[in-house]
Amino acid sequence: MVGLLLAASVTAGAQNITGKVCLESDRSPVSYATVGLVQLPDSSMITGVITLTDGGYLLEKVKPGSYYVRVSFVGLKTSGKSVVVEPGDTNVSVDTIFLSETTASIGEIMVVGERLKGKEMVDRTSYAIPEVVSKTAANGYDLLKKIPQVNVDFQNNVTLNGSSNFIIQVDGRQRDKEYLARILPSDIETIEIISNPSGKYEGNIDGVISIKLKKEARYGVNGNVGLNIKPFNKVTSQVTGSLDYSMGNITFYLTALNIYQGLDISQSNEGIFTAIDSTVSLSGNGGIEVTLSTINTGFDYYINDKNSLSLNVSYKPINQDVDLLGETFLYKGENPLNTISTLTHNGYGSDESSASLFYKKTFKNPVQELTVENTWYNFNSIEDNSFENTRYPYNSGTVLDTYSRQEENLNRRNYYSARLNYVHPLGMFAKLEAGYQFYYQRMSYDFKVNNVESDNLFEYAEFRNSAYGGITYNLKKVGAQAMFRLENSQIRADSVTDPGYTCLLPSVNLQYKFSTSHNLKFTYNRRINRPGIYDMNPYFRTDQNYNITQGNPDLKPDYRDRLQLTYTWNFGSNYFSPYIYNEYFSNRVGNEYKVTESPANNTLITFTKPYNLLNGYELGGGINATLWYVNFNARVYNGHINEYTGPTFTIPGRDYFSWSMTGAAYHSIGKNKKTTVFAFLNYDGVNVNARSRTYNHPFYGPGFQTQIKNHSLGLVWVLPLSTNVKLNRTETETPGYTSTNVIGFNASNFFQFSYSYKFNKGRNVKKLDRKVEVESDSKSGALVK
């Protein structure tokens, strides 16, 4: 009984100590710092925790007495503060503890001038954004240009490690890249790069750019407007705008984007039917017009210190029209037989809308949190394709026959997703994370030929349940993370032969820090790519040469297993990170080409349909680097596609080799470093499929940008002195048919001017916690993206 009374007395007399740890240089929070509570005067260690991502910490059940809170972090000087816990106190708050930098720091990217500080962690690299850097950027796009591994091109297209297959999150919620235009650089606390996403994320992405905003509540109005315009040789424009209205614990926001692109384009195609020594040669010119708009609105509401609620609603319409006037010559051997004059129109219109409700609850324990998210998505598109053919004898005006066709392809997709995620700390150096996701989607297709229904409506439905869990462990020199994601899908559709499948998607990150500037990471992950709405469309579509394509609703997911070893060297203000990898792929989708007879005119044509054809491997290496004034990534790789033998055809194995590079050089000039001159280069290399290779043209050019108070002006010259550019060339080779297809556009006088203005009418006195992961089916045929 005495023992119980004593225990009750001790518990009743226990208090909590809270505080925050920040960098002395720029007041940014220090995440994952070690906080120890030392008893005075004997200096015995009582307890310890690690700081949260916002630098905060909580020491629970502390008895009355005198203590010293000691904070340490690799590469920073140890510091602390004395604190006295009096009897009867329920919560003791310690003043912010500031850590200063040492000259030698493990895993630190030491930055001078306009460069960024980076911290290497087991699953990510985190960059704090000091004031000197934020002042040189007009918006989120400008800030990303300064981050190693990230490149932003002249039209604000973003790549991570040379890939566009990644997501952008702002305080945990996924955003379109257009959202970056509304972010004030001064509001950004850290930018994190996740190159090997864990099982927490969807299994089809290769990376994450995570932007964390400062914990400041706003009062008043702030926003920005921007304009990019190419005035010569057909206008291309991009208009952006954003507006935030804040009332302390709640913020309402609205963002909008409109893009219009007009280009003169050209197409040429030469197809050879080897069995009958027949050639079809097409050439044509025309134009493309694309209009894309995006509207996002919602609110972030902070109910109290532990609970927050966010709502996001978006709408995205796209319209595209491509018109070509072409001429086709038919040859038998080398002798011309007929000429076909063709007027082709390809129209596309879509709209997608989504709504997401996000709830987050934090607890007293560091790192511990619970998030719940519900997302609804709806998509509709109409493809209106038509052509008119008139056939003549070669070098004659006599009309032999005419043929016209109009196709209307209607695609619909909607889904509902519910996601729950929980994080729990395990002592000072580890945490557990687990979650569950329910996903239901429906897709339907309808098809009309010459305004007549060609078939019954085709419908496809999928029920998917996903569960994941894992552990993350961080020490001063060693870090490890292991996550597993298990997914089960059940499919309902008449023509699907395998109605269900289960897959395990593991990921592993291992890290070792050798010294002050050398870091080594080993990563493994398994990724899944599911076929999209356009791949599974079951209807027959016919082009102006009577060639037929069909989707395949029986397509299965393809998988990638990737092993990668990455070395990071930080010296001075530079970042140099070479890597090697080995990737195995299976069930990758490829097109099969068959030669058959056209039902329209009894000539030979091709019939194309996708299948899960490709298995093989790829071995390569690359470099991500920020060296002085240059930020670039490059990759060289070779691979092998195994031979495929199906019921009716065989595709021989093949080896391939390619390389790609994305980079830019920046240099700030002037007394206040407000003007930046730059040059960029983007090259995607050669894309290899089962029976085809696509060669891409590089994009390059110089430019400059200058800031005048809250205004920014810029100019970029794309493909200087170029005229008609071959954007890409696709070569296809099968036993009975070979072809070469070239798409080009007029790049003459491609000067793009830019202007932006940002304003902040209010005062900063909580943090946005947004997390939306919305899939998108919208597509745009814009040639320059």
Side-chain angles (χ1 to χ4, degrees):
M1 178 64 70
V2 174
L4 291 176
L5 291 175
L6 179 61
S9 174
V10 169
T11 302
Q15 287 87 33
N16 297 329
I17 297 176
T18 61
K20 187 174 182 179
V21 180
C22 293
L23 275 175
E24 187 177 56
S25 58
D26 57 12
R27 300 304 195 260
S28 63
V30 179
S31 308
Y32 308 111
T34 300
V35 180
L37 185 65
V38 178
Q39 178 83 55
L40 297 178
D42 60 1
S43 298
S44 60
M45 177 67 71
I46 303 300
T47 186
V49 295
I50 59 173
T51 57
L52 301 169
T53 55
D54 64 355
Y57 62 88
L58 169 67
L59 298 164
E60 293 186 292
K61 299 179 181 179
V62 179
K63 300 176 183 179
S66 298
Y67 300 93
Y68 182 77
V69 179
R70 184 172 61 198
V71 181
S72 61
F73 189 84
V74 175
L76 302 176
K77 292 181 180 178
T78 299
S79 184
K81 287 185 179 294
S82 298
V83 59
V84 177
V85 178
E86 301 286 353
D89 291 342
T90 58
N91 190 74
V92 178
S93 180
V94 178
D95 291 340
T96 300
I97 298 174
F98 293 99
L99 303 182
S100 59
E101 298 173 354
T102 59
T103 56
S105 58
I106 295 179
E108 284 289 305
I109 298 176
M110 302 304 298
V111 185
V112 297
E114 302 168 22
R115 289 296 181 68
L116 300 175
K117 300 178 177 67
K119 298 173 186 174
E120 291 286 350
M121 291 177 278
V122 63
D123 63 333
R124 67 194 63 202
T125 303
S126 179
Y127 299 90
I129 309 300
E131 184 179 3
V132 66
V133 173
S134 64
K135 284 184 177 181
T136 64
N139 51 40
Y141 288 118
D142 286 346
L143 209 50
L144 282 182
K145 293 175 182 178
K146 304 175 185 295
I147 302 293
Q149 306 176 64
V150 180
N151 273 279
V152 182
D153 73 7
F154 66 98
Q155 288 193 319
N156 288 333
N157 294 305
V158 185
T159 58
L160 175 61
N161 295 325
S163 170
S164 58
N165 185 31
F166 67 93
I167 60 173
I168 296 174
Q169 291 186 342
V170 178
D171 277 332
R173 287 190 62 183
Q174 183 171 320
R175 292 296 190 189
D176 292 337
K177 69 178 182 65
E178 291 81 14
Y179 187 84
L180 296 170
R182 72 167 288 263
I183 301 178
L184 297 176
S186 58
D187 288 343
I188 297 177
E189 188 170 77
T190 59
I191 297 178
E192 297 179 343
I193 303 300
I194 303 173
S195 298
N196 184 38
S198 68
K200 172 183 177 179
Y201 301 95
E202 293 284 355
N204 61 336
I205 64 169
D206 293 330
V208 180
I209 298 176
S210 178
I211 299 173
K212 298 186 181 298
L213 304 179
K214 294 177 180 177
K215 286 184 181 261
E216 297 176 336
R218 285 190 175 277
Y219 290 86
V221 179
N222 69 88
N224 61 60
V225 293
L227 170 66
N228 293 333
I229 185 167
K230 178 180 80 72
F232 310 118
N233 191 26
K234 287 204 170 183
V235 173
T236 292
S237 64
Q238 175 178 301
V239 182
T240 61
S242 70
L243 185 67
D244 284 16
Y245 177 66
S246 303
M247 298 182 295
N249 65 335
I250 188 168
T251 297
F252 298 91
Y253 60 89
L254 174 67
T255 67
L257 162 78
N258 179 266
I259 297 175
Y260 171 80
Q261 184 175 78
L263 291 172
D264 291 322
I265 62 172
S266 63
Q267 180 183 10
S268 65
N269 179 278
E270 182 173 274
I272 301 174
F273 295 91
T274 55
I276 60 172
D277 193 21
S278 177
T279 301
V280 178
S281 180
L282 176 148
S283 62
N285 294 284
I288 180 173
E289 293 185 351
V290 180
T291 303
L292 180 152
S293 300
T294 300
I295 299 174
N296 280 275
T297 187
F299 66 81
D300 297 289
Y301 174 46
Y302 294 86
I303 305 168
N304 51 45
D305 289 341
K306 303 297 183 184
N307 299 276
S308 63
L309 187 68
S310 296
L311 174 69
N312 181 75
V313 178
S314 68
Y315 176 64
K316 185 177 182 178
I318 295 177
N319 288 284
Q320 173 186 301
D321 289 291
V322 180
D323 293 288
L324 280 170
L325 179 61
E327 195 171 43
T328 303
F329 296 95
L330 307 179
Y331 293 84
K332 179 65 175 179
E334 296 183 357
N335 300 316
L337 299 178
N338 299 127
T339 302
I340 299 177
S341 177
T342 303
L343 179 62
T344 304
H345 172 77
N346 299 111
Y348 172 84
S350 71
D351 62 80
E352 67 176 57
S353 54
S354 67
S356 178
L357 187 65
F358 179 80
Y359 168 75
K360 180 177 180 179
K361 179 178 178 60
T362 58
F363 301 85
K364 289 184 178 180
N365 290 330
V367 180
Q368 186 180 8
E369 68 176 34
L370 173 70
T371 58
V372 181
E373 179 185 13
N374 290 272
T375 302
W376 172 85
Y377 172 86
N378 186 68
F379 171 81
N380 296 279
S381 73
I382 298 178
E383 296 177 75
D384 182 13
N385 302 322
S386 63
F387 65 87
E388 297 179 7
N389 283 353
T390 304
R391 188 164 65 99
Y392 309 89
Y394 182 72
N395 276 341
S396 172
T398 304
V399 176
L400 295 177
D401 54 55
T402 61
Y403 182 81
S404 64
R405 181 180 174 96
Q406 181 181 10
E407 298 178 350
E408 191 174 85
N409 187 18
L410 289 81
N411 304 291
R412 302 179 185 89
R413 176 175 179 249
N414 58 73
Y415 75 78
Y416 169 75
S417 172
R419 185 196 308 264
L420 183 147
N421 188 75
Y422 176 70
V423 184
H424 189 83
L426 294 177
M428 298 172 58
F429 306 107
K431 66 177 181 179
L432 284 174
E433 187 165 8
Y436 167 78
Q437 181 181 6
F438 170 77
Y439 180 92
Y440 171 69
Q441 71 167 335
R442 291 185 62 187
M443 291 184 285
S444 64
Y445 309 91
D446 203 359
F447 194 64
K448 295 180 181 180
V449 177
N450 297 330
N451 295 316
V452 177
E453 295 277 356
S454 68
D455 204 344
N456 294 325
L457 180 69
F458 178 84
E459 293 188 344
Y460 178 101
E462 178 191 8
F463 294 85
R464 188 189 313 160
N465 289 277
S466 305
Y468 58 88
I471 186 170
T472 303
Y473 188 77
N474 271 298
L475 287 176
K476 288 186 177 181
K477 284 201 169 188
V478 178
Q481 182 189 68
M483 295 281 285
F484 296 89
R485 184 181 182 96
L486 182 67
E487 298 188 348
N488 175 264
S489 292
Q490 297 296 323
I491 298 170
R492 295 179 181 176
D494 293 338
S495 62
V496 173
T497 58
D498 187 2
Y501 60 89
T502 300
C503 61
L504 179 64
L505 305 173
S507 65
V508 177
N509 291 283
L510 300 175
Q511 177 192 31
Y512 184 78
K513 300 177 182 178
F514 290 100
S515 64
T516 58
S517 58
H518 301 275
N519 178 80
L520 190 66
K521 284 185 182 181
F522 170 80
T523 59
Y524 164 74
N525 63 62
R526 181 172 173 83
R527 296 281 182 254
I528 182 173
N529 290 316
R530 293 180 173 87
I533 186 172
Y534 301 104
D535 299 318
M536 296 190 293
N537 191 321
Y539 296 111
F540 296 92
R541 285 156 290 176
T542 304
D543 68 11
Q544 67 272 23
N545 287 334
Y546 310 108
N547 297 315
I548 298 174
T549 60
Q550 181 191 25
N552 185 358
D554 204 29
L555 287 175
K556 305 298 187 297
D558 68 76
Y559 298 92
R560 293 173 291 139
D561 291 87
R562 185 181 179 107
L563 299 164
Q564 181 166 314
L565 188 65
T566 305
Y567 166 73
T568 303
W569 179 26
N570 305 302
F571 57 99
S573 59
N574 302 289
Y575 173 91
F576 182 73
S577 181
Y579 63 90
I580 57 173
Y581 70 91
N582 196 358
E583 182 174 280
Y584 300 89
F585 54 86
S586 59
N587 282 341
R588 183 175 292 178
V589 175
N591 288 325
E592 167 56 13
Y593 298 84
K594 297 180 181 178
V595 177
T596 185
E597 190 174 275
S598 169
N601 59 5
N602 298 320
T603 60
L604 290 183
I605 61 167
T606 60
F607 175 80
T608 307
K609 186 175 182 177
Y611 294 91
N612 295 103
L613 301 175
L614 308 181
N615 298 289
Y617 65 86
E618 185 174 287
L619 178 65
I623 296 173
N624 292 302
T626 301
L627 302 174
W628 293 279
Y629 302 107
V630 180
N631 185 1
F632 74 95
N633 63 75
R635 181 169 69 104
V636 178
Y637 55 94
N638 63 66
H640 176 77
I641 299 175
N642 299 337
E643 179 181 293
Y644 173 84
T645 301
T648 59
F649 60 90
T650 297
I651 298 178
R654 67 189 306 180
D655 296 320
Y656 62 88
F657 170 84
S658 187
W659 65 279
S660 62
M661 179 177 177
T662 302
Y666 301 90
H667 182 56
S668 297
I669 59 177
K671 182 178 179 181
N672 297 320
K673 303 291 185 180
K674 295 293 186 179
T675 299
T676 301
V677 293
F678 62 87
F680 69 92
L681 169 65
N682 298 329
Y683 176 64
D684 288 338
V686 181
N687 301 320
V688 180
N689 207 313
R691 294 274 177 91
S692 65
R693 294 174 182 263
T694 299
Y695 300 83
N696 300 290
H697 192 280
F699 277 83
Y700 53 89
F704 80 91
Q705 180 175 299
T706 187
Q707 285 185 260
I708 306 173
K709 295 185 178 180
N710 290 330
H711 303 266
S712 177
L713 299 170
L715 170 66
V716 60
W717 187 10
V718 182
L719 298 173
L721 307 178
S722 299
T723 52
N724 295 314
V725 173
K726 295 179 180 179
L727 185 64
N728 57 60
R729 183 180 82 255
T730 301
E731 298 177 353
T732 303
E733 185 175 355
T734 73
Y737 173 77
T738 62
S739 73
T740 300
N741 187 73
V742 178
I743 301 294
F745 78 103
N746 190 341
S748 301
N749 301 317
F750 203 124
F751 292 96
Q752 179 174 287
F753 299 87
S754 64
Y755 168 77
S756 66
Y757 169 70
K758 58 183 179 181
F759 59 91
N760 184 10
K761 307 297 182 181
R763 59 190 178 93
N764 297 343
V765 186
K766 241 159 175 193
K767 184 174 180 180
L768 303 173
D769 280 300
R770 305 171 181 164
K771 181 178 181 180
V772 174
E773 295 190 7
V774 176
E775 303 167 7
S776 175
D777 296 295
S778 295
K779 62 179 183 178
S780 170
L783 296 181
V784 184
K785 297 188 291 180

